[in-house]
Amino acid sequence: MHTRRLVLALAAGAFTLGAHAQSNWPNKPIRMIVPLAAGSAVDAAARIVTEKVGRNLGQSIVVENQPGAAGLIGAGTVAKAAPDGYTIAGFNDSIMTMVPNLNPKMPWDILKDFEPVSLVATVEWGLVVPTDAPEKSAADLIANAKRRPGAINYGSGGNGSPQHIAMALFASQSGLNMKHVPYKGATQAAMGVAGKEVDAAFQGIATVTSLVKAGKVRLIGVTTPQRMPQFPDVPTVSESGLPGFEFNSWFAIMAPAGTPRDITHRLASEVQKALADPEVREKLAAQGLTPRGSSPEELGSATRAQLAKYGALIKANNITAE
């Protein structure tokens, strides 16, 4: 009996310490791993939102970029991290729902190795070409690619990246034969367009806004249902070349599997609080981002639905990771 009481007492003490540690969370800076290059749409969203969330929590949230392998490297860092609320992830939906459908040998499982926190924003997208390219619209790009099968190339942030999926769907639905040129990140792919290394790319508006305004790339279409207020003179791809074509991507926060529920829900609550701030919403909108916000449960449901949706799309359009 004495031994049993000792074991129970130790267990109770450990629980109390654990609960105390959680109640004191956060008591040191939090690291957010973004498995994409600095300057990408997700990186922009992460920095805007975490600055406000960190201020409200009373601790800084340090954004750390770990690009490479279409996000697998950075995501792997998070999957292996201690589930204590001090390492979280800023993911796009490519990492969560596209790459898993393209890679049968994933080193982690998005549904088993991570805890959902919150869908933060959707990233609006556009079609860009070099400034002196002959194309002025999506219709021009389609016509040029049909005249020169296999001669037009496009850049992406890597195999299975959103840029890859977006253009592969565009090419498939337009009946085009285009060459894919994968880069090590979305920012590098955007610079590839600016440097005339590639002929075109779909990109998050946040990634290319500064390049468009500086006259280094030309935005010839947006993938939203209606024209964007930031670029009222730029037609939608749907109205200017491929009727019905729409595309956007996510920015969501995840945590390592096993992160305590009270921490993930506290984070989700703080994200929603930050997204209600007019200054944060204005900054996100200026970058082509639409504020969302969700509970962990809502993000989990959306992830499962998106996994199924992209699985069907990828299969139907014969998209491969090459």
Side-chain angles (χ1 to χ4, degrees), residues 10 12 45 52-53 62 114 138 144 163 166 168 195 198 218 282 314:
L10 289 171
K52 184 68 173 180
V53 171
V62 181
F114 300 93
N144 194 11
Q163 299 83 21
V198 290
R218 179 189 299 146
E282 184 178 345
I314 287 166

Side-chain angles (χ1 to χ4, degrees), residues 94-109:
S94 169
I95 296 162
M96 298 167 67
T97 62
M98 296 179 191
V99 174
N101 277 304
L102 290 164
N103 187 347
K105 298 180 180 179
M106 291 288 289
W108 40 260
D109 186 314

Side-chain angles (χ1 to χ4, degrees), residues 44 70 77 96 146 187 285 290:
T77 299
M96 298 167 67
K146 284 187 174 180
T187 306
T290 302

Side-chain angles (χ1 to χ4, degrees), residues 256-293:
T259 300
R261 186 175 183 274
D262 59 342
I263 290 178
T264 59
H265 280 73
R266 171 85 186 280
L267 267 173
S269 176
E270 291 295 343
V271 166
Q272 293 184 57
K273 188 189 301 183
L275 293 176
D277 184 275
E279 183 181 358
V280 171
R281 297 181 69 85
E282 184 178 345
K283 287 179 178 179
L284 289 172
Q287 293 289 333
L289 298 156
T290 302
R292 300 295 180 186

Side-chain angles (χ1 to χ4, degrees), residues 41 123-129 137-138 141 154-155 162-164 166-167 170 186 189-190 193 200-209 212 217-226 228 231 234-238 240 245-249 287-289:
V123 183
E124 311 305 346
W125 283 63
L127 178 60
V128 294
V129 296
S137 68
L141 180 63
Y154 67 93
Q163 299 83 21
H164 180 195
M167 188 63 87
F170 176 81
V193 177
F202 274 106
Q203 284 279 356
I205 292 296
T207 306
V208 295
T209 293
V212 172
V217 299
R218 179 189 299 146
L219 181 64
I220 63 172
V222 293
T223 62
T224 46
Q226 291 84 35
M228 297 182 66
F231 300 101
V234 178
T236 67
V237 172
S238 180
S240 63
F245 185 85
E246 295 178 19
F247 186 86
N248 67 17
S249 59
Q287 293 289 333
L289 298 156

